[in-house]
Amino acid sequence: MAAAAPVRDRIVPVRRPPACQYADMRILRILAALVIAVAALSACAPTPQPQPTADAATPTSTPMPRPSAPPTGPVLAYDGECASVFADPAAVLGFDAEALPGDADLPTGLVTLGGLKCSWVAVGGTFEAVTLMALPVTQVPEELRSRFATTACEWSFDTPYCHLAGSVGETWVMVSKRALDEVGTPPDLAPVLAAALERAATVPAPIAATPTDEWWDSVDCATVEQAAGIAEVYAPATFEPGYPAGFGSWPTDGMLASTDQWCPWYSYETSEAVWMNLLPGAGSQWDDVDFTGATPVDVVGAEAAVLVTVDDNLGLVDEREVLYATDGTNVLRIQMSPIPLEDLAARVFAGMADAGR
């Protein structure tokens, strides 16, 4: 794995809400800021607030099978290096491109599955971009493989994006790009996918990490809410599951929920939010992360924890602190909470342990 950049340059507050984040991240950050700015103004109005939108619903995770074999992996697609996908990105993509930082050096659910996400944006601010996601074929539902066997365009983040996917050996690859117009005219993604698959055939196939009994199991937001005592800790304010402004969705969000579950809650009474991601099995990635610039903190129930100050791409404040904590097997990421992040993290670790998760 290539040397990682300092953590401040690589970690952003929201992966998907994780998931997630994906094609042309610069555009998505602008869209997310606009959406939340409107939501923030609405929260201050005296009129009754709506309930969280359907967009804010989070996928429910499906437990990964637990084989009896010793734990292995993960082995990342393309050796975990976005630079190794295309020998000449400009020639393949059709524009002078620069790569955005990838996910291979961060604790993420995608990495736990052996996956890799790469994005290339046009140099010069034309907002042209291509995103690639690669995973083991065994981790991709048949419905998703069939859905994008030919180019198909769907609306995500208020923008039409087109996707084309295929596989070679045990590697599944999906390439995505904005439609050519608002009608949804698809770009020609076939040469991009062909080049990506040609390269995938020459490197080791990705392998997902093998779940163990120590992994958080059946991670869903209702379980976390009860285990952490969300209602009690924030009383008398009432926090509702979800968030009042949706962030759109990406085709792969559902299958990633088993290893990266985003759980948001929102109070219409105080206009405060709780945001966290639970990443079962991501603790094996901890030692590969360069947390230079992060502040080590103590979290009861965690083997290690750090606070990272990052630019707030949501447009709410200039900077915010994000907590990353691990019990040695799982990783918890929290970036919004009315109480100290360390205190909420301790409640989550204790609650998940008591729940036998």
Side-chain angles (χ1 to χ4, degrees), residues 116-133:
L116 181 69
K117 177 176 70 68
C118 306
S119 296
W120 296 267
V121 298
V123 176
T126 64
F127 297 112
E128 193 167 12
V130 169
T131 294
L132 174 146
M133 184 173 287

Side-chain angles (χ1 to χ4, degrees), residues 70-350:
T72 60
V75 175
L76 302 190
Y78 296 102
D79 294 323
E81 300 289 347
C82 291
S84 73
V85 177
F86 303 124
D88 186 352
V92 175
L93 303 177
F95 57 86
D96 189 12
E98 63 178 352
L100 295 179
D103 290 339
D105 296 320
L106 297 175
T108 70
L110 180 62
V111 169
T112 303
L113 293 178
L116 181 69
K117 177 176 70 68
C118 306
S119 296
W120 296 267
V121 298
V123 176
T126 64
F127 297 112
E128 193 167 12
V130 169
T131 294
L132 174 146
M133 184 173 287
L135 285 154
V137 170
T138 55
Q139 298 299 321
V140 184
E142 177 58 37
E143 181 276 331
L144 196 63
R145 283 183 264 169
S146 300
R147 190 161 124 211
F148 299 113
T150 58
T151 303
C153 302
E154 301 178 351
W155 282 81
S156 298
F157 308 95
D158 297 325
T159 303
Y161 284 93
C162 302
H163 315 277
L164 179 64
S167 60
V168 57
E170 298 301 315
T171 305
W172 178 84
V173 178
M174 182 176 77
V175 293
S176 308
K177 188 177 183 180
R178 284 194 305 165
L180 299 178
D181 50 42
E182 294 299 308
V183 179
T185 303
D188 185 9
L189 293 173
V192 181
L193 179 62
L197 293 176
E198 181 179 2
R199 174 57 178 159
T202 68
V203 295
I207 301 173
T210 303
T212 68
D213 291 338
E214 287 72 36
W215 281 34
W216 284 331
D217 192 11
S218 300
V219 174
D220 62 80
C221 298
T223 297
V224 177
E225 181 177 7
Q226 181 176 6
I230 295 294
E232 294 82 1
V233 74
Y234 295 117
T238 300
F239 278 74
E240 304 286 344
Y243 199 78
F247 287 87
S249 61
W250 201 250
T252 54
D253 285 354
M255 70 177 179
L256 296 179
S258 65
T259 55
D260 193 341
Q261 179 67 66
W262 175 52
C263 293
W265 294 270
Y266 186 80
S267 172
Y268 292 103
E269 302 167 13
T270 64
S271 299
E272 295 176 303
V274 179
W275 278 21
M276 68 176 70
N277 290 68
L278 289 90
L279 288 72
S284 63
Q285 305 167 36
W286 191 268
D287 291 339
D288 294 329
V289 178
D290 180 8
F291 280 120
T292 300
T295 303
V297 293
D298 292 327
V299 171
V300 176
E303 289 189 1
V306 295
L307 280 173
V308 181
T309 302
V310 299
D311 294 333
D312 180 51
N313 295 326
L314 301 176
L316 300 179
V317 294
D318 291 334
E319 293 181 330
R320 74 168 62 254
E321 288 187 323
V322 179
L323 174 73
Y324 282 80
T326 181
D327 59 5
T329 301
N330 311 287
V331 171
L332 175 66
R333 179 172 66 243
I334 305 178
Q335 56 189 2
M336 287 188 190
S337 171
I339 68 172
L341 303 182
E342 299 95 317
D343 294 349
L344 179 57
R347 294 184 67 91
V348 173
F349 280 117

